[in-house]
Amino acid sequence: MADKAASPEKKSWADVEEEEEAKAKATAAAEAAAAAAAASSSSSITEPAVEEQAKQIEALSLAPSVDDAAGEEGPPLLDDSDDSQIQAVISGGTVYESATTFEDLKLSPELLKGLHDEMGFSRPSKIQAITLPMILTPPYKDLVAQAHNGSGKTTCFVLGMLSRVDPQRKIPQAICICPTRELAQQNKAVLMRMGKFTGITCACAIPPAQKDYMPISKMAPITDQIVIGTSGTLIKWITHKKLATRDIKILVFDEADHMLAEDGFRSDSERMMRDIQRSAGGCQVLLFSATFNDRVKDFVTKVIRDGNQIFVKKEELTLEKVKQYKVQVPDESAKIEVIRDKIFEFGQKVGQVIIFVRTKQSTKNVHNALTREDYVCSSIQGSLDQSEREKIIQEFKDGYTKVLISTDVLARGFDQAQVNLVINYDMPIKFGTRDEPDYEVYLHRIGRAGRFGRKGAVFNLLCGQTDNVVMKKIEDYFQHSVPEVRNWQREEDFEAALKDAGLL
DNA sequence: AAAAAAG
């Protein structure tokens, strides 16, 4: 309680790094909106005390989510003292105390040690404070939770899995499904660090590299308590009885909107859910993502009927600290020129860069075009052999390569704090359309910069009329106007943009 | 016109 009053700057995991300007103010405001959404989405408020709390939360949502410099009029800035008014969030008639500290959550000493000593987290982030009690309190209701990119969702479900697993029993008790192998591996790495002192083990269910191929019949049954993987391999392990599902207590869908989208992994996900629910009975389902479009949200709320729900309005979803820009270029070769001669000039000084392209072939083309003796670039896409994918990711995470060209394989979830510049070489388009943006992919891509409230910049390279139509639709959708870099040939214009973003 | 996973 005492530290609550004396915390003008929010000491959470956002500031593990040295940046003191990463005060996570934007995150706090945005997450309050999440809490408000949670309160308003619950229809059955009965207890008066609860109702009052819900009103407080609702009131918070009226505060602007803009911080400094935005210059918009309106009520005063939502800061941490207001923020601390959030004590409980209710949903479906169950009351949950929001957690102020990890200690409030009655986590095991081993887990607390992992959080503090290994991860360096001092306090839960907002989404963690709200969802962890929901995840960890009986009757272990299902949960669908939306929160901003880089706000700490992974910790929510990793802690959930680690807490609900019995370390003494050497059988699978928790499963996490991810859309890409990279994300599965990353989540496993986080879980292993956080659970370092628990003795809990974890298997990664992704296809092996060519050189490690082994027929499934020769594979030993899984004895790890937790399995994290991609849908195809998980299903394969289950159908070949290498992964027993009867003791699964918790099933997590990371990037859940994509895992449940019709043009995503819905059929695989439904099959997993059906099989596990059938063999394990009442297993808790957790759905996490930064995005849930109306279509998916509609479907999800039908699937998770009796669960807790937290949603964020799409207008409040863009990260304040990640400045977006558009750059008009005459043709494709100008895109290369801009990246090489303008953006790299400054971008390289600043941190790491991810360049998103639409097709696998483009990763190679752009890679070749950008390769010069003084720039170390690498590129990744899903057709590479697994060992190659791992090597490229490792080199990037180690900071050996500064510029990574990627398809949307890395659009979601990929977490590298040093990435503060994202370039949309191609704009994300819904498959089968010419000028219909994929809003969710756009948001996820730009979320690769600005992890945990850090500053970042995005350059959208626009060439031709359809690109402009797409950009305009994106601005309208998120109700966020994107300024233009005036002249693609002027280095000073890019310098100004990066300065404005706080990167220079 | 096609990212992603996997058979």
Side-chain angles (χ1 to χ4, degrees), chain A residues 425-489:
Chain A
Y425 187 95
D426 300 310
M427 295 300 284
I429 302 293
K430 277 206 189 88
F431 179 70
T433 73
R434 203 172 59 91
D435 57 6
E436 193 51 31
D438 192 322
Y439 302 105
E440 286 70 40
V441 168
Y442 180 80
L443 202 79
H444 284 281
R445 280 183 180 186
I446 70 176
R448 295 320 97 208
R451 308 302 289 165
F452 315 138
R454 290 182 179 84
K455 292 172 179 176
V458 178
F459 290 107
N460 294 294
L461 306 186
L462 308 178
C463 170
Q465 196 47 46
T466 52
D467 278 354
N468 279 282
V469 169
V470 167
M471 190 70 236
K472 178 71 166 57
K473 285 181 177 171
I474 289 172
E475 294 182 63
D476 290 346
Y477 184 82
F478 293 113
Q479 288 180 29
H480 181 95
S481 86
V482 174
E484 194 167 337
V485 175
R486 278 296 156 198
N487 187 340
W488 70 277
Q489 290 171 307

Side-chain angles (χ1 to χ4, degrees), chain A residues 9 30 77 97 122 167 178 201 204 215 286 324 359-360 407 498:
Chain A
E9 88 284 313
L77 171 71
E97 281 285 321
S122 48
C178 312
T201 65
C204 195
L286 307 184
Q324 305 167 51
T359 64
K360 294 173 182 176
T407 60
L498 288 167

Side-chain angles (χ1 to χ4, degrees), chain A residues 285-335:
Chain A
V285 176
L286 307 184
L287 306 176
F288 278 90
S289 184
T291 53
F292 285 95
N293 69 32
D294 291 341
R295 261 179 90 104
V296 185
K297 196 189 288 182
D298 201 54
F299 177 75
V300 161
T301 47
K302 276 173 194 149
V303 174
I304 309 294
R305 234 182 248 109
D306 186 36
N308 295 311
Q309 298 178 8
I310 295 171
F311 287 113
V312 184
K313 279 192 255 161
K314 67 179 189 302
E315 296 83 7
E316 291 169 5
L317 218 43
T318 50
L319 301 174
E320 319 278 341
K321 301 242 166 181
V322 178
K323 299 283 188 221
Q324 305 167 51
Y325 298 98
K326 42 191 174 193
V327 185
Q328 306 285 349
V329 294
D331 50 39
E332 289 286 308
S333 67
K335 289 185 181 179

